[in-house]
Amino acid sequence: MSSLSKPSRRNFMKLAATASGGLFLGFSWTSSVASALEVVSDTAIAAGEIEFNSFLALSPDGIVTIFSPNPELGQNIKTSFPMIVAEELDADWTKVKVVQAPLDTNKFERQVTGGSGAVPHSWDRLRTAGATARHMLMEAAAKRWKVSASTLTTDNGMVVHQATGRKLSYGDLATEASKVPVPKDVKLKDPKNFKLIGTAVRNVDNHEMITGKPLYGMDVYKEGMLFAMIQRPKAFGMKLKSVDAAAAKAMPGIVDVVTFKSNVAVVGKSTWQVNKARKALKLEYEEDAPLESSTDHDRIFKELLDSPDATVHRKDGDVAAAFQKAAKVIKSEYQCPFLPHSPMEPMNFFAHVRLDGVELAGPTQTPERARSEVAKLLNIAPEKVTVELTRLGGGFGRRLSADYVVEAAELSSIIKAPVKVIWTREDDMTGGTYRPAVRYRFEAALDAKGNMIGYKLRGVGMSSGNPTREDNFPSGSVDNLLIDSVEHKSPITTGPWRAPITNFLAFAEQSFLDEVAQAAGKDPVQFRLELLAKAKKAPVGEIKYDIDRMKGVIDLAVEKSGWGRKKGVAQGFSVYFSHRSYVAQVGEVAVKNNVPVVTKVYAACDCGMVVNLSGAYQQVKGGIVDGLGHAMYSNLTFKNGAPDQKNFNNYRLIRLKEVPEVDVYFVNNGINPTGLGEPALPPTGGAVANAIYKATGKRLRNQPFIEQAELKTV
């Protein structure tokens, strides 16, 4: 038996219906038009004969069930998705159930968690699904009562005929409603009539999480499953030379020791046994690429900032002329280190490679990528690979990659058995993929009146492509602007880390704008507002951010924080646009015992309509704590290709006592939802660094802040 059972059609249909019939409403995630499915007998349901896409189901007992296709890693879509459906359906929220869907690209679209795009992508589709079911229920009631459907309303899972006071529950009407023709177009609610959307709703998995029910990849257990841990090269740039596994193979519970590529997998009957045996391996490695250290990166980055071979991403006006005639030039460099993702649940995945297909199960942000890469590895059709999704115990971009899925599948294909590969915390922290280190050089040209007439940004990235965001503010507000980059190829594997690129770039940009504002003799907020006003009146080139939305969060943050009017604390400001949303923050710092302490952060957010107020607050607060903690404390350094920090004993994360008070405010502008999982993180570092400067007179240009001499000597 499996402790985390696969959500089969049989199980889902049993959950969604009873023997007395019910309404099964299928809807395509690629279309906003729903389609009704034929009501079948209980026998047919049990036999799994009904075909469906992603769908809404209504059973005669009034239970509304929906498949949630996207992976859930804490961003709350597993609660928000059904809230959207239930709102348009006018359902009784206490009777809504949610089932995690497996990977099925024929029935679902964009089964991805990343880029803060789940709710924006599915908003209209989910609303239409709920509204379509509501229409069919009203038509069924109208037919039974022999009245016009236009005389009916719905409320909390009931169809109501106001003229006579008659009511029928959705469950009573489910079977009849299934026979109503599906409308091609349905009217959606006016948002001003929303009852559920915009309220605070508890996470649908709360009870299971609190009581320890199996939800996560670590909970997966399949009959006959073996366990494995893999020893990977201990340094980036090394490959395996020789293996002596005799001692490991002789240990209790060990089934096999397998070498593939430069990996050595120990396979056995329990994680304890395989972890102990792995330590008995005698392995030799040899150099395969340069073994880089952090001191090498510092030197390389500084050299590349002067490289003549930069890639230009945006150029407006005559930059050279602007700097030549400038009354004042400001120039600064900012650098950040590598960071591991550090999800609380380390990497793990189950794989069973059989002759007739491959079964995969575990936590992934990109199940389709996992399937396609496994299919490519094994040279089989993707249709022969199934992926069961579990809840993710954190991801932050690490589980966008499929390397840990592929190695589980490759190992299963070699040992001809089902296996679950588990990474330890040390494996997770030393095995990549990391937030890439980067260095930026900023230059600004001011005229005699303190107006910014020129702006230059060069980024040196690390095997990550373009480390800039050339179309973000202040682009479009400066007449003469140049943004370019140089890339350094490294054997150290890097990839997306929460709010990719902008997680550090926002800090650097917003800190530098404060430097420029000071040189111009202007208030930092007013300086930014003047730039936005110029972009509004006389835009330079294409502007890809919404000036009014950015100004809206600035105004709200200034109002709520009492910007510039408080005594006893130093305030720092930051505003950023990322993942379609806008967040302005004010950080407050007080000097206690000669040490600057972050006491409070105000956040003003414009993410469009908020679906779940509770989840939204937690996303913003979590992003701020994540951004603050990593800016202040976290650092992954390398020596000869190997990470110095291998576990939380010497890799510093923020501690509970260091978390400041956080106030969150949302702009209610009525537009459709935009991203929220990442946008609150990028502005935090800048708001805090600018506040520390106000409090101490020391400008922080590198992360982590805590390791800088300027902060230690305050």
Side-chain angles (χ1 to χ4, degrees), residues 630-643:
H630 284 90
M632 287 288 295
Y633 306 113
S634 299
N635 187 11
L636 188 75
T637 59
F638 286 83
K639 185 175 181 180
N640 296 325

Side-chain angles (χ1 to χ4, degrees), residues 522-644:
K522 298 179 180 180
D523 174 80
V525 173
Q526 190 58 39
F527 180 69
R528 290 166 173 81
L529 289 173
E530 288 177 5
L531 288 172
L532 287 172
K534 183 181 185 304
K536 182 88 170 179
K537 183 178 180 180
V540 181
E542 186 177 8
I543 294 182
K544 295 186 178 180
Y545 53 90
D546 189 308
I547 295 170
D548 293 331
R549 290 181 70 188
M550 182 170 280
K551 184 177 182 300
V553 294
I554 292 175
D555 292 342
L556 183 59
V558 166
E559 173 197 345
K560 296 299 184 181
S561 68
W563 172 259
R565 302 192 301 274
K566 288 189 174 181
K567 295 181 180 180
V569 294
Q571 292 184 315
F573 183 81
S574 179
V575 62
Y576 215 72
F577 160 63
S578 66
H579 298 90
R580 300 170 295 277
S581 292
Y582 300 78
V583 179
Q585 293 180 17
V586 174
E588 292 187 345
V589 167
V591 177
K592 301 179 181 181
N593 298 321
N594 295 321
V595 175
V597 177
V598 182
T599 58
K600 190 164 185 175
V601 176
Y602 295 87
C605 311
D606 179 353
C607 58
M609 275 184 283
V610 173
V611 177
N612 183 357
L613 194 58
S614 173
Y617 273 124
Q618 300 312 316
Q619 282 294 294
V620 175
K621 290 180 179 180
I624 289 171
V625 172
D626 206 9
L628 172 63
H630 284 90
M632 287 288 295
Y633 306 113
S634 299
N635 187 11
L636 188 75
T637 59
F638 286 83
K639 185 175 181 180
N640 296 325
D644 294 315

Side-chain angles (χ1 to χ4, degrees), residues 88-100:
E88 290 290 347
L89 181 60
D90 261 347
D92 178 352
W93 179 250
T94 64
K95 294 185 177 181
V96 173
K97 291 185 178 180
V98 188
V99 174
Q100 177 68 59

Side-chain angles (χ1 to χ4, degrees), residues 449-469:
K449 295 181 179 179
N451 298 310
M452 188 160 66
I453 58 173
Y455 181 87
K456 291 194 288 187
L457 164 61
R458 170 166 291 187
V460 176
M462 194 134 190
S463 305
S464 57
N466 176 14
T468 72
R469 288 292 184 266

